[in-house]
């Protein structure tokens, strides 16, 4: 585990240690250090994602419903949503403009209104029945993303 | 300080790279010349300073990086965050009962 980039890590750690002595470092656990450096309630802003989403077969109403639902999400729901569609809990470093392919919402008339939205994570695509009401959009997206084994295909 | 780190993360510098999980590790193509090593050292100092000041730097390091920073002995979870495939295969070997 240590052979690659060893010297580089040694230097990074050396610099860190020059500021935080071993005596204090010993008081932290790695997960506590992670909370300090990164925080544990991390999520992205919907406004960061919105400009980089593409749509297929949508209309203004459906797209509006979609964003209304996403704007209501808690931080956890946002992360779950991202994971559901892209298999990643985090946006790409640098922002969603680097998400490749771009996140896509495809409104489908072949998916019945009763079904949950489906994800094609290879293509960062969410398939949403175009018969959804606002309430369907809300309930079914939330349900889908909260399931750990969602309706994946491809 | 956050800006320095954000700059350092840019792929053009080949200092850090992103794992499949979207976490940050030192790039396997980073150089070992004195200038690069010094850059890592300085970045480490900035990291330490930020921790002292209670500033969150927002860099999603992989778990084993935190272990290294605290100079702990690596634990099982660290290998998992470095190389999930190797970890899975080693686990399989460990659990293999020879049948």
């Amino acid at each position: 585990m240590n052979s690659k980039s060893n010297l580089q890590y040694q230097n990074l750690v050396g610099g860190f240690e020059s500021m935080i002595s071993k005596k204090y470092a010993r008081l932290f656990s790695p997960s506590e250090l992670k909370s300090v450096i990164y925080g544990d309630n991390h999520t992205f802003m919907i406004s960061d994602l919105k400009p980089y989403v593409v749509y297929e077969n949508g209309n203004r109403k459906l797209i509006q419903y979609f964003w209304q639902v996403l704007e209501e999400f808690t931080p956890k729901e946002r992360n779950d949503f991202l994971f559901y569609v892209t298999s990643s809990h985090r946006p790409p470093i640098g922002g969603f403009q680097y998400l490749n392919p771009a996140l896509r919402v495809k409104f489908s008339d072949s998916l019945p209104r009763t079904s949950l939205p489906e994800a094609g994570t290879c293509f960062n695509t969410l398939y949403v029945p175009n018969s959804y009401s606002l309430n369907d959009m809300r309930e079914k997206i939330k349900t889908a993303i909260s399931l750990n084994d969602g309706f994946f295909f491809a | 300080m956050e800006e320095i780190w954000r700059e350092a993360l840019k792929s053009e510098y080949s200092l850090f790279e992103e794992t499949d999980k979207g976490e940050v590790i030192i790039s396997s193509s980073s150089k070992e010349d004195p200038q690069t090593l010094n850059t890592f050292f300085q970045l480490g100092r900035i990291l330490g300073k930020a921790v002292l000041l209670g500033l969150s730097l927002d860099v999603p390091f992989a778990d084993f990086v935190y272990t290294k920073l605290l100079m702990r002995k690596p634990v099982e979870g660290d290998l998992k965050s470095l190389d999930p495939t190797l970890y899975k295969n080693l686990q399989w070997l460990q659990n293999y009962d020879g049948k």
Side-chain angles (χ1 to χ4, degrees), chain A residues 1-2 8-9 11-12 14-16 18-19 26 28 34 37 42 90 93, chain B residues 23 26 30-31 37 40-41 44-45 56-58 63-64 68 72 82:
Chain A
M1 190 175 132
N2 286 317
Q8 292 90 330
Y9 278 110
N11 277 268
L12 185 73
F16 186 77
S18 73
M19 288 291 168
R26 209 169 292 157
F28 278 103
K34 183 176 181 176
I37 289 178
H42 261 259
R90 264 187 279 279
I93 289 177
Chain B
E23 295 179 326
I26 289 186
S30 59
K31 302 284 195 296
L37 293 182
F40 280 113
F41 186 85
R45 289 185 70 214
S56 176
L57 276 186
D58 237 20
D63 288 353
F64 77 89
K68 278 190 185 282
R72 297 279 201 282
L82 172 60

PDB file of all heavy atoms in Angstrom, chain A residues 1-2 8-9 11-12 14-16 18-19 26 28 34 37 42 90 93, chain B residues 23 26 30-31 37 40-41 44-45 56-58 63-64 68 72 82:
ATOM      1  N   MET A   1       0.828  -1.205   0.000  1.00  0.00           N
ATOM      2  CA  MET A   1       0.000   0.000   0.000  1.00  0.00           C
ATOM      3  C   MET A   1       0.860   1.252   0.000  1.00  0.00           C
ATOM      4  O   MET A   1       0.400   2.328  -0.284  1.00  0.00           O
ATOM      5  CB  MET A   1      -0.877  -0.041   1.259  1.00  0.00           C
ATOM      6  CG  MET A   1      -1.938   1.031   1.242  1.00  0.00           C
ATOM      7  SD  MET A   1      -3.064   0.903   2.621  1.00  0.00           S
ATOM      8  CE  MET A   1      -3.082   2.569   3.183  1.00  0.00           C
ATOM      9  N   ASN A   2       2.127   1.079   0.337  1.00  0.00           N
ATOM     10  CA  ASN A   2       2.936   2.276   0.513  1.00  0.00           C
ATOM     11  C   ASN A   2       3.878   2.577  -0.628  1.00  0.00           C
ATOM     12  O   ASN A   2       4.518   3.601  -0.641  1.00  0.00           O
ATOM     13  CB  ASN A   2       3.757   2.144   1.800  1.00  0.00           C
ATOM     14  CG  ASN A   2       2.878   2.321   3.008  1.00  0.00           C
ATOM     15  OD1 ASN A   2       2.048   3.199   3.032  1.00  0.00           O
ATOM     16  ND2 ASN A   2       3.040   1.462   3.987  1.00  0.00           N
ATOM     17  N   GLN A   8       6.204  11.506  -1.987  1.00  0.00           N
ATOM     18  CA  GLN A   8       5.264  12.625  -2.039  1.00  0.00           C
ATOM     19  C   GLN A   8       4.422  12.665  -0.765  1.00  0.00           C
ATOM     20  O   GLN A   8       4.247  13.725  -0.154  1.00  0.00           O
ATOM     21  CB  GLN A   8       4.357  12.514  -3.276  1.00  0.00           C
ATOM     22  CG  GLN A   8       5.088  12.720  -4.601  1.00  0.00           C
ATOM     23  CD  GLN A   8       5.647  11.442  -5.189  1.00  0.00           C
ATOM     24  OE1 GLN A   8       6.009  10.517  -4.461  1.00  0.00           O
ATOM     25  NE2 GLN A   8       5.721  11.371  -6.515  1.00  0.00           N
ATOM     26  N   TYR A   9       3.932  11.488  -0.348  1.00  0.00           N
ATOM     27  CA  TYR A   9       3.153  11.449   0.892  1.00  0.00           C
ATOM     28  C   TYR A   9       3.987  11.842   2.088  1.00  0.00           C
ATOM     29  O   TYR A   9       3.532  12.562   2.976  1.00  0.00           O
ATOM     30  CB  TYR A   9       2.544  10.047   1.119  1.00  0.00           C
ATOM     31  CG  TYR A   9       1.265   9.827   0.350  1.00  0.00           C
ATOM     32  CD1 TYR A   9       1.219   8.943  -0.726  1.00  0.00           C
ATOM     33  CD2 TYR A   9       0.101  10.503   0.690  1.00  0.00           C
ATOM     34  CE1 TYR A   9       0.058   8.763  -1.448  1.00  0.00           C
ATOM     35  CE2 TYR A   9      -1.066  10.331  -0.034  1.00  0.00           C
ATOM     36  CZ  TYR A   9      -1.083   9.459  -1.096  1.00  0.00           C
ATOM     37  OH  TYR A   9      -2.238   9.284  -1.808  1.00  0.00           O
ATOM     38  N   ASN A  11       6.351  13.900   2.220  1.00  0.00           N
ATOM     39  CA  ASN A  11       6.489  15.352   2.265  1.00  0.00           C
ATOM     40  C   ASN A  11       5.196  16.033   2.679  1.00  0.00           C
ATOM     41  O   ASN A  11       5.208  16.996   3.448  1.00  0.00           O
ATOM     42  CB  ASN A  11       6.992  15.879   0.918  1.00  0.00           C
ATOM     43  CG  ASN A  11       8.485  15.763   0.800  1.00  0.00           C
ATOM     44  OD1 ASN A  11       9.218  16.690   1.140  1.00  0.00           O
ATOM     45  ND2 ASN A  11       8.960  14.616   0.365  1.00  0.00           N
ATOM     46  N   LEU A  12       4.097  15.545   2.148  1.00  0.00           N
ATOM     47  CA  LEU A  12       2.799  16.119   2.520  1.00  0.00           C
ATOM     48  C   LEU A  12       2.599  15.984   4.038  1.00  0.00           C
ATOM     49  O   LEU A  12       2.250  16.932   4.732  1.00  0.00           O
ATOM     50  CB  LEU A  12       1.680  15.401   1.777  1.00  0.00           C
ATOM     51  CG  LEU A  12       0.276  15.970   1.970  1.00  0.00           C
ATOM     52  CD1 LEU A  12       0.129  17.293   1.219  1.00  0.00           C
ATOM     53  CD2 LEU A  12      -0.784  14.988   1.486  1.00  0.00           C
ATOM     54  N   GLY A  14       4.944  15.427   6.236  1.00  0.00           N
ATOM     55  CA  GLY A  14       5.964  16.211   6.928  1.00  0.00           C
ATOM     56  C   GLY A  14       5.524  17.652   7.117  1.00  0.00           C
ATOM     57  O   GLY A  14       5.701  18.248   8.185  1.00  0.00           O
ATOM     58  N   GLY A  15       4.963  18.227   6.062  1.00  0.00           N
ATOM     59  CA  GLY A  15       4.479  19.608   6.146  1.00  0.00           C
ATOM     60  C   GLY A  15       3.370  19.732   7.166  1.00  0.00           C
ATOM     61  O   GLY A  15       3.344  20.665   7.978  1.00  0.00           O
ATOM     62  N   PHE A  16       2.481  18.766   7.148  1.00  0.00           N
ATOM     63  CA  PHE A  16       1.365  18.750   8.107  1.00  0.00           C
ATOM     64  C   PHE A  16       1.891  18.658   9.524  1.00  0.00           C
ATOM     65  O   PHE A  16       1.473  19.400  10.414  1.00  0.00           O
ATOM     66  CB  PHE A  16       0.460  17.555   7.787  1.00  0.00           C
ATOM     67  CG  PHE A  16      -0.800  17.488   8.598  1.00  0.00           C
ATOM     68  CD1 PHE A  16      -1.873  18.320   8.301  1.00  0.00           C
ATOM     69  CD2 PHE A  16      -0.926  16.591   9.657  1.00  0.00           C
ATOM     70  CE1 PHE A  16      -3.046  18.263   9.055  1.00  0.00           C
ATOM     71  CE2 PHE A  16      -2.094  16.526  10.404  1.00  0.00           C
ATOM     72  CZ  PHE A  16      -3.153  17.360  10.099  1.00  0.00           C
ATOM     73  N   SER A  18       4.685  19.586  10.645  1.00  0.00           N
ATOM     74  CA  SER A  18       5.415  20.784  11.077  1.00  0.00           C
ATOM     75  C   SER A  18       4.458  21.773  11.747  1.00  0.00           C
ATOM     76  O   SER A  18       4.875  22.640  12.490  1.00  0.00           O
ATOM     77  CB  SER A  18       6.138  21.433   9.900  1.00  0.00           C
ATOM     78  OG  SER A  18       5.213  22.075   9.037  1.00  0.00           O
ATOM     79  N   MET A  19       3.183  21.652  11.436  1.00  0.00           N
ATOM     80  CA  MET A  19       2.174  22.523  12.028  1.00  0.00           C
ATOM     81  C   MET A  19       1.472  21.863  13.204  1.00  0.00           C
ATOM     82  O   MET A  19       1.118  22.503  14.177  1.00  0.00           O
ATOM     83  CB  MET A  19       1.110  22.881  10.981  1.00  0.00           C
ATOM     84  CG  MET A  19       1.610  23.840   9.947  1.00  0.00           C
ATOM     85  SD  MET A  19       1.870  25.462  10.697  1.00  0.00           S
ATOM     86  CE  MET A  19       2.777  26.239   9.397  1.00  0.00           C
ATOM     87  N   ARG A  26      -1.977  12.651  17.720  1.00  0.00           N
ATOM     88  CA  ARG A  26      -2.402  11.423  18.383  1.00  0.00           C
ATOM     89  C   ARG A  26      -3.812  11.549  18.976  1.00  0.00           C
ATOM     90  O   ARG A  26      -4.499  10.560  19.195  1.00  0.00           O
ATOM     91  CB  ARG A  26      -1.419  11.077  19.503  1.00  0.00           C
ATOM     92  CG  ARG A  26      -1.323   9.587  19.768  1.00  0.00           C
ATOM     93  CD  ARG A  26      -0.166   9.265  20.674  1.00  0.00           C
ATOM     94  NE  ARG A  26       1.111   9.506  20.026  1.00  0.00           N
ATOM     95  CZ  ARG A  26       2.241   9.726  20.680  1.00  0.00           C
ATOM     96  NH1 ARG A  26       2.257   9.778  21.982  1.00  0.00           N
ATOM     97  NH2 ARG A  26       3.367   9.930  20.026  1.00  0.00           N
ATOM     98  N   PHE A  28      -6.359  12.941  17.534  1.00  0.00           N
ATOM     99  CA  PHE A  28      -7.383  12.822  16.498  1.00  0.00           C
ATOM    100  C   PHE A  28      -7.474  11.402  15.974  1.00  0.00           C
ATOM    101  O   PHE A  28      -6.460  10.765  15.769  1.00  0.00           O
ATOM    102  CB  PHE A  28      -7.005  13.665  15.275  1.00  0.00           C
ATOM    103  CG  PHE A  28      -7.329  15.110  15.352  1.00  0.00           C
ATOM    104  CD1 PHE A  28      -6.335  16.027  15.616  1.00  0.00           C
ATOM    105  CD2 PHE A  28      -8.614  15.562  15.104  1.00  0.00           C
ATOM    106  CE1 PHE A  28      -6.613  17.383  15.646  1.00  0.00           C
ATOM    107  CE2 PHE A  28      -8.898  16.920  15.129  1.00  0.00           C
ATOM    108  CZ  PHE A  28      -7.890  17.826  15.403  1.00  0.00           C
ATOM    109  N   LYS A  34     -11.039  13.924   9.281  1.00  0.00           N
ATOM    110  CA  LYS A  34     -11.837  14.061   8.065  1.00  0.00           C
ATOM    111  C   LYS A  34     -12.976  15.063   8.288  1.00  0.00           C
ATOM    112  O   LYS A  34     -13.254  15.897   7.436  1.00  0.00           O
ATOM    113  CB  LYS A  34     -12.405  12.706   7.660  1.00  0.00           C
ATOM    114  CG  LYS A  34     -13.184  12.719   6.360  1.00  0.00           C
ATOM    115  CD  LYS A  34     -13.620  11.300   5.988  1.00  0.00           C
ATOM    116  CE  LYS A  34     -14.376  11.302   4.669  1.00  0.00           C
ATOM    117  NZ  LYS A  34     -14.718   9.932   4.247  1.00  0.00           N
ATOM    118  N   ILE A  37     -11.430  18.584   8.236  1.00  0.00           N
ATOM    119  CA  ILE A  37     -10.946  19.050   6.934  1.00  0.00           C
ATOM    120  C   ILE A  37     -12.073  19.103   5.913  1.00  0.00           C
ATOM    121  O   ILE A  37     -12.139  20.002   5.082  1.00  0.00           O
ATOM    122  CB  ILE A  37      -9.805  18.141   6.432  1.00  0.00           C
ATOM    123  CG1 ILE A  37      -8.561  18.382   7.276  1.00  0.00           C
ATOM    124  CG2 ILE A  37      -9.504  18.371   4.954  1.00  0.00           C
ATOM    125  CD1 ILE A  37      -7.375  17.507   6.905  1.00  0.00           C
ATOM    126  N   HIS A  42     -21.700  17.192   3.752  1.00  0.00           N
ATOM    127  CA  HIS A  42     -21.428  17.813   2.472  1.00  0.00           C
ATOM    128  C   HIS A  42     -22.457  17.516   1.425  1.00  0.00           C
ATOM    129  O   HIS A  42     -22.879  16.391   1.267  1.00  0.00           O
ATOM    130  CB  HIS A  42     -20.078  17.337   1.955  1.00  0.00           C
ATOM    131  CG  HIS A  42     -19.047  18.342   2.234  1.00  0.00           C
ATOM    132  ND1 HIS A  42     -18.586  19.213   1.281  1.00  0.00           N
ATOM    133  CD2 HIS A  42     -18.435  18.658   3.372  1.00  0.00           C
ATOM    134  CE1 HIS A  42     -17.707  20.006   1.842  1.00  0.00           C
ATOM    135  NE2 HIS A  42     -17.597  19.696   3.100  1.00  0.00           N
ATOM    136  N   ARG A  90     -20.643  12.397  -4.944  1.00  0.00           N
ATOM    137  CA  ARG A  90     -20.079  13.751  -4.981  1.00  0.00           C
ATOM    138  C   ARG A  90     -20.052  14.283  -6.394  1.00  0.00           C
ATOM    139  O   ARG A  90     -19.862  13.516  -7.337  1.00  0.00           O
ATOM    140  CB  ARG A  90     -18.639  13.721  -4.480  1.00  0.00           C
ATOM    141  CG  ARG A  90     -18.491  14.056  -3.030  1.00  0.00           C
ATOM    142  CD  ARG A  90     -17.023  14.167  -2.708  1.00  0.00           C
ATOM    143  NE  ARG A  90     -16.424  12.881  -2.496  1.00  0.00           N
ATOM    144  CZ  ARG A  90     -16.497  12.197  -1.367  1.00  0.00           C
ATOM    145  NH1 ARG A  90     -17.139  12.703  -0.356  1.00  0.00           N
ATOM    146  NH2 ARG A  90     -15.941  11.023  -1.266  1.00  0.00           N
ATOM    147  N   ILE A  93     -14.800  17.009  -9.157  1.00  0.00           N
ATOM    148  CA  ILE A  93     -14.016  18.137  -8.659  1.00  0.00           C
ATOM    149  C   ILE A  93     -14.003  19.197  -9.744  1.00  0.00           C
ATOM    150  O   ILE A  93     -13.729  18.924 -10.901  1.00  0.00           O
ATOM    151  CB  ILE A  93     -12.584  17.667  -8.311  1.00  0.00           C
ATOM    152  CG1 ILE A  93     -12.682  16.789  -7.057  1.00  0.00           C
ATOM    153  CG2 ILE A  93     -11.658  18.854  -8.077  1.00  0.00           C
ATOM    154  CD1 ILE A  93     -11.384  16.193  -6.626  1.00  0.00           C
TER     155      ILE A  93
ATOM    156  N   GLU B  23     -12.746  10.633  -4.674  1.00  0.00           N
ATOM    157  CA  GLU B  23     -11.923  11.110  -3.565  1.00  0.00           C
ATOM    158  C   GLU B  23     -10.539  11.493  -4.058  1.00  0.00           C
ATOM    159  O   GLU B  23     -10.105  11.089  -5.143  1.00  0.00           O
ATOM    160  CB  GLU B  23     -11.844  10.018  -2.493  1.00  0.00           C
ATOM    161  CG  GLU B  23     -13.217   9.756  -1.870  1.00  0.00           C
ATOM    162  CD  GLU B  23     -13.193   8.668  -0.823  1.00  0.00           C
ATOM    163  OE1 GLU B  23     -12.412   7.707  -0.978  1.00  0.00           O
ATOM    164  OE2 GLU B  23     -13.954   8.783   0.153  1.00  0.00           O
ATOM    165  N   ILE B  26      -2.847  11.420  -3.832  1.00  0.00           N
ATOM    166  CA  ILE B  26      -1.711  11.955  -4.584  1.00  0.00           C
ATOM    167  C   ILE B  26      -1.626  11.219  -5.917  1.00  0.00           C
ATOM    168  O   ILE B  26      -1.820  10.005  -5.987  1.00  0.00           O
ATOM    169  CB  ILE B  26      -0.411  11.823  -3.762  1.00  0.00           C
ATOM    170  CG1 ILE B  26      -0.452  12.817  -2.601  1.00  0.00           C
ATOM    171  CG2 ILE B  26       0.815  12.074  -4.633  1.00  0.00           C
ATOM    172  CD1 ILE B  26       0.826  12.883  -1.791  1.00  0.00           C
ATOM    173  N   SER B  30       2.702  11.976 -10.229  1.00  0.00           N
ATOM    174  CA  SER B  30       3.371  13.157  -9.670  1.00  0.00           C
ATOM    175  C   SER B  30       4.878  12.888  -9.613  1.00  0.00           C
ATOM    176  O   SER B  30       5.314  11.755  -9.444  1.00  0.00           O
ATOM    177  CB  SER B  30       2.817  13.484  -8.284  1.00  0.00           C
ATOM    178  OG  SER B  30       2.989  12.412  -7.399  1.00  0.00           O
ATOM    179  N   LYS B  31       5.661  13.966  -9.750  1.00  0.00           N
ATOM    180  CA  LYS B  31       7.113  13.815  -9.841  1.00  0.00           C
ATOM    181  C   LYS B  31       7.764  13.756  -8.453  1.00  0.00           C
ATOM    182  O   LYS B  31       7.147  14.089  -7.441  1.00  0.00           O
ATOM    183  CB  LYS B  31       7.687  15.026 -10.616  1.00  0.00           C
ATOM    184  CG  LYS B  31       7.130  15.203 -12.010  1.00  0.00           C
ATOM    185  CD  LYS B  31       7.726  14.205 -12.986  1.00  0.00           C
ATOM    186  CE  LYS B  31       7.478  14.555 -14.431  1.00  0.00           C
ATOM    187  NZ  LYS B  31       6.070  14.533 -14.817  1.00  0.00           N
ATOM    188  N   LEU B  37       8.418  17.872  -4.466  1.00  0.00           N
ATOM    189  CA  LEU B  37       8.329  17.391  -3.092  1.00  0.00           C
ATOM    190  C   LEU B  37       8.137  18.552  -2.135  1.00  0.00           C
ATOM    191  O   LEU B  37       7.388  18.456  -1.158  1.00  0.00           O
ATOM    192  CB  LEU B  37       9.588  16.590  -2.724  1.00  0.00           C
ATOM    193  CG  LEU B  37       9.768  15.263  -3.473  1.00  0.00           C
ATOM    194  CD1 LEU B  37      11.025  14.553  -2.979  1.00  0.00           C
ATOM    195  CD2 LEU B  37       8.554  14.350  -3.297  1.00  0.00           C
ATOM    196  N   PHE B  40       4.569  19.605  -2.115  1.00  0.00           N
ATOM    197  CA  PHE B  40       3.756  18.757  -1.241  1.00  0.00           C
ATOM    198  C   PHE B  40       3.941  19.136   0.213  1.00  0.00           C
ATOM    199  O   PHE B  40       2.991  19.163   0.994  1.00  0.00           O
ATOM    200  CB  PHE B  40       4.080  17.270  -1.450  1.00  0.00           C
ATOM    201  CG  PHE B  40       3.409  16.680  -2.665  1.00  0.00           C
ATOM    202  CD1 PHE B  40       4.168  16.261  -3.754  1.00  0.00           C
ATOM    203  CD2 PHE B  40       2.029  16.556  -2.723  1.00  0.00           C
ATOM    204  CE1 PHE B  40       3.551  15.724  -4.880  1.00  0.00           C
ATOM    205  CE2 PHE B  40       1.401  16.023  -3.851  1.00  0.00           C
ATOM    206  CZ  PHE B  40       2.169  15.610  -4.928  1.00  0.00           C
ATOM    207  N   PHE B  41       5.205  19.437   0.556  1.00  0.00           N
ATOM    208  CA  PHE B  41       5.485  19.813   1.932  1.00  0.00           C
ATOM    209  C   PHE B  41       4.706  21.072   2.301  1.00  0.00           C
ATOM    210  O   PHE B  41       4.059  21.143   3.352  1.00  0.00           O
ATOM    211  CB  PHE B  41       6.995  20.026   2.114  1.00  0.00           C
ATOM    212  CG  PHE B  41       7.403  20.270   3.532  1.00  0.00           C
ATOM    213  CD1 PHE B  41       7.647  19.200   4.379  1.00  0.00           C
ATOM    214  CD2 PHE B  41       7.532  21.565   4.030  1.00  0.00           C
ATOM    215  CE1 PHE B  41       8.015  19.413   5.711  1.00  0.00           C
ATOM    216  CE2 PHE B  41       7.898  21.780   5.350  1.00  0.00           C
ATOM    217  CZ  PHE B  41       8.148  20.701   6.188  1.00  0.00           C
ATOM    218  N   GLY B  44       1.120  20.472   2.720  1.00  0.00           N
ATOM    219  CA  GLY B  44       0.886  19.822   4.014  1.00  0.00           C
ATOM    220  C   GLY B  44       0.853  20.851   5.129  1.00  0.00           C
ATOM    221  O   GLY B  44       0.032  20.775   6.046  1.00  0.00           O
ATOM    222  N   ARG B  45       1.763  21.841   5.043  1.00  0.00           N
ATOM    223  CA  ARG B  45       1.786  22.896   6.060  1.00  0.00           C
ATOM    224  C   ARG B  45       0.483  23.681   6.042  1.00  0.00           C
ATOM    225  O   ARG B  45      -0.078  24.021   7.091  1.00  0.00           O
ATOM    226  CB  ARG B  45       2.943  23.863   5.807  1.00  0.00           C
ATOM    227  CG  ARG B  45       4.310  23.284   6.089  1.00  0.00           C
ATOM    228  CD  ARG B  45       5.381  24.339   5.936  1.00  0.00           C
ATOM    229  NE  ARG B  45       5.313  25.324   6.995  1.00  0.00           N
ATOM    230  CZ  ARG B  45       5.611  26.617   6.832  1.00  0.00           C
ATOM    231  NH1 ARG B  45       5.958  27.074   5.647  1.00  0.00           N
ATOM    232  NH2 ARG B  45       5.553  27.441   7.846  1.00  0.00           N
ATOM    233  N   SER B  56     -12.326  24.732   7.343  1.00  0.00           N
ATOM    234  CA  SER B  56     -12.623  23.549   6.556  1.00  0.00           C
ATOM    235  C   SER B  56     -12.148  23.779   5.134  1.00  0.00           C
ATOM    236  O   SER B  56     -12.507  24.759   4.502  1.00  0.00           O
ATOM    237  CB  SER B  56     -14.129  23.300   6.593  1.00  0.00           C
ATOM    238  OG  SER B  56     -14.444  22.218   5.770  1.00  0.00           O
ATOM    239  N   LEU B  57     -11.278  22.891   4.633  1.00  0.00           N
ATOM    240  CA  LEU B  57     -10.707  23.108   3.308  1.00  0.00           C
ATOM    241  C   LEU B  57     -11.524  22.486   2.194  1.00  0.00           C
ATOM    242  O   LEU B  57     -11.285  22.731   1.035  1.00  0.00           O
ATOM    243  CB  LEU B  57      -9.284  22.539   3.242  1.00  0.00           C
ATOM    244  CG  LEU B  57      -8.166  23.428   3.759  1.00  0.00           C
ATOM    245  CD1 LEU B  57      -6.828  22.776   3.482  1.00  0.00           C
ATOM    246  CD2 LEU B  57      -8.207  24.792   3.097  1.00  0.00           C
ATOM    247  N   ASP B  58     -12.418  21.614   2.549  1.00  0.00           N
ATOM    248  CA  ASP B  58     -13.320  21.084   1.538  1.00  0.00           C
ATOM    249  C   ASP B  58     -12.677  20.140   0.538  1.00  0.00           C
ATOM    250  O   ASP B  58     -13.140  20.022  -0.600  1.00  0.00           O
ATOM    251  CB  ASP B  58     -13.911  22.249   0.746  1.00  0.00           C
ATOM    252  CG  ASP B  58     -15.410  22.204   0.828  1.00  0.00           C
ATOM    253  OD1 ASP B  58     -15.920  21.545   1.760  1.00  0.00           O
ATOM    254  OD2 ASP B  58     -16.041  22.805  -0.037  1.00  0.00           O
ATOM    255  N   ASP B  63      -9.848   7.997   2.636  1.00  0.00           N
ATOM    256  CA  ASP B  63      -9.654   7.718   4.062  1.00  0.00           C
ATOM    257  C   ASP B  63      -8.203   7.448   4.440  1.00  0.00           C
ATOM    258  O   ASP B  63      -7.736   7.895   5.488  1.00  0.00           O
ATOM    259  CB  ASP B  63     -10.510   6.519   4.480  1.00  0.00           C
ATOM    260  CG  ASP B  63     -11.987   6.887   4.531  1.00  0.00           C
ATOM    261  OD1 ASP B  63     -12.306   8.088   4.383  1.00  0.00           O
ATOM    262  OD2 ASP B  63     -12.825   5.987   4.723  1.00  0.00           O
ATOM    263  N   PHE B  64      -7.471   6.714   3.609  1.00  0.00           N
ATOM    264  CA  PHE B  64      -6.106   6.340   4.004  1.00  0.00           C
ATOM    265  C   PHE B  64      -5.203   7.562   4.084  1.00  0.00           C
ATOM    266  O   PHE B  64      -4.185   7.537   4.789  1.00  0.00           O
ATOM    267  CB  PHE B  64      -5.520   5.287   3.067  1.00  0.00           C
ATOM    268  CG  PHE B  64      -5.057   5.825   1.743  1.00  0.00           C
ATOM    269  CD1 PHE B  64      -3.765   6.295   1.579  1.00  0.00           C
ATOM    270  CD2 PHE B  64      -5.919   5.860   0.662  1.00  0.00           C
ATOM    271  CE1 PHE B  64      -3.349   6.804   0.368  1.00  0.00           C
ATOM    272  CE2 PHE B  64      -5.521   6.374  -0.544  1.00  0.00           C
ATOM    273  CZ  PHE B  64      -4.223   6.849  -0.706  1.00  0.00           C
ATOM    274  N   LYS B  68      -2.481   8.463   7.041  1.00  0.00           N
ATOM    275  CA  LYS B  68      -1.079   8.854   6.828  1.00  0.00           C
ATOM    276  C   LYS B  68      -0.774  10.169   7.524  1.00  0.00           C
ATOM    277  O   LYS B  68       0.271  10.334   8.136  1.00  0.00           O
ATOM    278  CB  LYS B  68      -0.801   9.000   5.328  1.00  0.00           C
ATOM    279  CG  LYS B  68      -0.515   7.692   4.614  1.00  0.00           C
ATOM    280  CD  LYS B  68      -0.021   7.988   3.203  1.00  0.00           C
ATOM    281  CE  LYS B  68       0.178   6.746   2.379  1.00  0.00           C
ATOM    282  NZ  LYS B  68       1.424   6.041   2.716  1.00  0.00           N
ATOM    283  N   ARG B  72      -0.699   7.117  11.573  1.00  0.00           N
ATOM    284  CA  ARG B  72      -1.175   5.884  12.183  1.00  0.00           C
ATOM    285  C   ARG B  72      -0.737   4.703  11.333  1.00  0.00           C
ATOM    286  O   ARG B  72      -0.483   4.860  10.147  1.00  0.00           O
ATOM    287  CB  ARG B  72      -2.710   5.853  12.207  1.00  0.00           C
ATOM    288  CG  ARG B  72      -3.331   6.902  13.025  1.00  0.00           C
ATOM    289  CD  ARG B  72      -3.310   6.467  14.493  1.00  0.00           C
ATOM    290  NE  ARG B  72      -4.318   7.187  15.248  1.00  0.00           N
ATOM    291  CZ  ARG B  72      -4.169   8.427  15.659  1.00  0.00           C
ATOM    292  NH1 ARG B  72      -3.067   9.078  15.404  1.00  0.00           N
ATOM    293  NH2 ARG B  72      -5.138   9.021  16.326  1.00  0.00           N
ATOM    294  N   LEU B  82      -7.982   2.938  -0.819  1.00  0.00           N
ATOM    295  CA  LEU B  82      -6.914   3.142  -1.795  1.00  0.00           C
ATOM    296  C   LEU B  82      -7.154   2.331  -3.056  1.00  0.00           C
ATOM    297  O   LEU B  82      -7.067   2.838  -4.155  1.00  0.00           O
ATOM    298  CB  LEU B  82      -5.550   2.742  -1.189  1.00  0.00           C
ATOM    299  CG  LEU B  82      -4.372   2.732  -2.160  1.00  0.00           C
ATOM    300  CD1 LEU B  82      -4.156   4.098  -2.762  1.00  0.00           C
ATOM    301  CD2 LEU B  82      -3.112   2.245  -1.476  1.00  0.00           C
TER     302      LEU B  82
END
